[in-house]
Amino acid sequence: MDLRRIRHFVILAETLNFRRAAERLHMAQPPLTVSIQKLEAELGVKLFARESTGVTLTASGRAVLVEAKRLLFHGNQLRETAKSTIEGTGGTLQIGFVGSTTYGMLQKLLPLFRAEYPGVELILREATSVDIMQQLEDNALDIGLVRVPLLQASRATLVQLEHDEYIAALPRGNALADKGLLKLLDMAGESFIMYAPTYASGLHSTAMLACQQAGFIPRVTQQAIQIQTVLALVESGLGVALVPSVMQRFVSDKIVYRPVVDVPPAAAIGLALAYLAETESPAAARFRALATREFVPDKRR
């Protein structure tokens, strides 16, 4: 159904005069008459009763007017939705994130994005970096906030947002907690809580590499997928762990964090934004620009 004819009908119903309606619509009167006749033929009812002084709405016309106004409203909403989606100021944005982004990164990015683009609906999904990258490939996510390094091949582009380093997480009461600074070799005799190699491959490989370059292979007694789970196991006294320094924000009276002075550069870790350049939506591009602005240093300064 042509929304232009619906609008012609509504304006005529409001003015009840073809000349005045034509003036409001900025059109000649004969095309308006033809438009109303075509609408009546399409609906199969008479909408107006013609009189010498003008026109009046029929019972059918009065009933149709209510729905016609509603239809015009939703038509305008549809146009605005389409426009805002194309411009990246509306629609939905699906973001996958790893748990450690909730220790500062998400708290910074989400309020800023909502303030700048209130028309975009955010859908947030927590997952591992491996799962997030797969969901990006499957077009189930628009943006991923993942922990790097990533060991699996991907078509996604990565923008490094935060650089981090390993620190030691120790159960309170562990003998190493009495030291202010640690070397990796200090931890050689400890039971380790380690990251699962399948689902947290980047953290697993870098933590193992750091220990091996220090001259020992850690004695792994427990494995976990999420960093928060690793810390929960440390809290339980099951062992020590190497965790990203940002996790010091996870405060517990059962955990002591200590700097490790000799973590090799090859074991560098961090957080990155992942996206597929060939299918990036306007809203995703706006989120990426905001994240880059807030976290990536401007080298020109």
Side-chain angles (χ1 to χ4, degrees):
M1 186 171 291
D2 192 336
L3 285 179
R4 289 177 301 173
R5 290 179 191 162
I6 299 297
R7 184 165 181 265
H8 295 169
F9 162 68
V10 169
I11 297 300
L12 182 57
E14 290 175 348
T15 61
L16 295 177
N17 184 282
F18 271 96
R19 180 182 58 80
R20 289 199 298 270
E23 288 174 354
R24 281 183 57 181
L25 291 164
H26 305 290
M27 64 187 299
Q29 187 172 325
L32 174 59
T33 301
V34 172
S35 177
I36 297 299
Q37 290 172 344
K38 287 183 177 180
L39 181 60
E40 289 178 325
E42 189 173 357
L43 295 176
V45 297
K46 284 292 183 183
L47 300 173
F48 297 97
R50 276 70 173 175
E51 299 175 355
S52 58
T53 56
V55 294
T56 58
L57 282 165
T58 64
S60 295
R62 288 193 294 272
V64 169
L65 180 59
V66 175
E67 296 301 325
K69 288 182 176 180
R70 193 171 296 159
L71 187 58
L72 283 181
F73 171 79
H74 288 296
N76 288 332
Q77 289 293 101
L78 184 63
R79 279 191 290 270
E80 288 301 316
T81 298
K83 180 182 177 183
S84 63
T85 300
I86 289 295
E87 293 176 348
T89 58
T92 61
L93 181 63
Q94 301 183 93
I95 302 173
F97 65 95
V98 293
S100 52
T101 59
T102 62
Y103 289 87
M105 179 174 287
L106 279 183
Q107 288 90 332
K108 183 174 185 179
L109 288 178
L110 296 185
L112 288 173
F113 189 81
R114 285 186 182 279
E116 292 187 29
Y117 307 105
V120 178
E121 178 187 3
L122 295 178
I123 300 174
L124 303 173
R125 298 176 185 166
E126 184 178 5
T128 65
S129 295
V130 172
D131 287 339
I132 289 170
M133 298 304 289
Q134 185 59 56
Q135 290 181 61
L136 278 174
E137 295 272 1
D138 296 339
N139 293 315
L141 290 173
D142 301 305
I143 289 284
L145 296 174
V146 298
R147 185 154 289 284
V148 290
L150 293 166
L151 301 187
Q152 72 269 38
S154 173
R155 293 184 292 113
T157 301
L158 293 174
V159 179
Q160 183 107 14
L161 299 181
E162 279 189 353
H163 296 270
D164 208 342
E165 59 186 6
Y166 279 122
I167 60 172
L170 313 167
R172 190 172 294 278
N174 185 288
L176 294 178
D178 294 332
K179 291 192 172 187
L181 298 174
L182 295 181
K183 290 187 176 180
L184 284 164
L185 201 57
D186 294 333
M187 305 171 69
E190 301 291 329
S191 298
F192 264 79
I193 315 297
M194 186 54 68
Y195 306 97
T198 302
Y199 296 101
S201 55
L203 289 170
H204 175 86
S205 63
T206 49
M208 293 293 290
L209 173 67
C211 294
Q212 290 173 27
Q213 288 200 1
F216 72 100
I217 296 176
R219 179 164 56 90
V220 177
T221 56
Q222 298 288 334
Q223 289 188 346
I225 296 173
Q226 301 280 12
I227 301 173
Q228 294 92 323
T229 308
V230 168
L231 288 174
L233 295 176
V234 173
E235 267 189 308
S236 302
L238 297 180
V240 304
L242 291 173
V243 299
S245 63
V246 70
M247 299 308 296
Q248 292 179 92
R249 296 173 185 173
F250 178 85
V251 179
S252 169
D253 58 6
K254 297 181 180 179
I255 296 179
V256 174
Y257 299 103
R258 290 290 180 263
V260 180
V261 297
D262 58 345
V263 175
I269 53 176
L271 291 169
L273 183 149
Y275 69 101
L276 290 179
E278 64 268 28
T279 58
E280 186 181 33
S281 69
R286 289 187 181 275
F287 188 91
R288 175 169 56 85
L290 184 146
T292 302
R293 182 188 78 202
E294 294 299 321
F295 284 95
V296 179
D298 187 345
K299 295 180 180 179
R300 294 172 299 178
R301 293 173 187 168

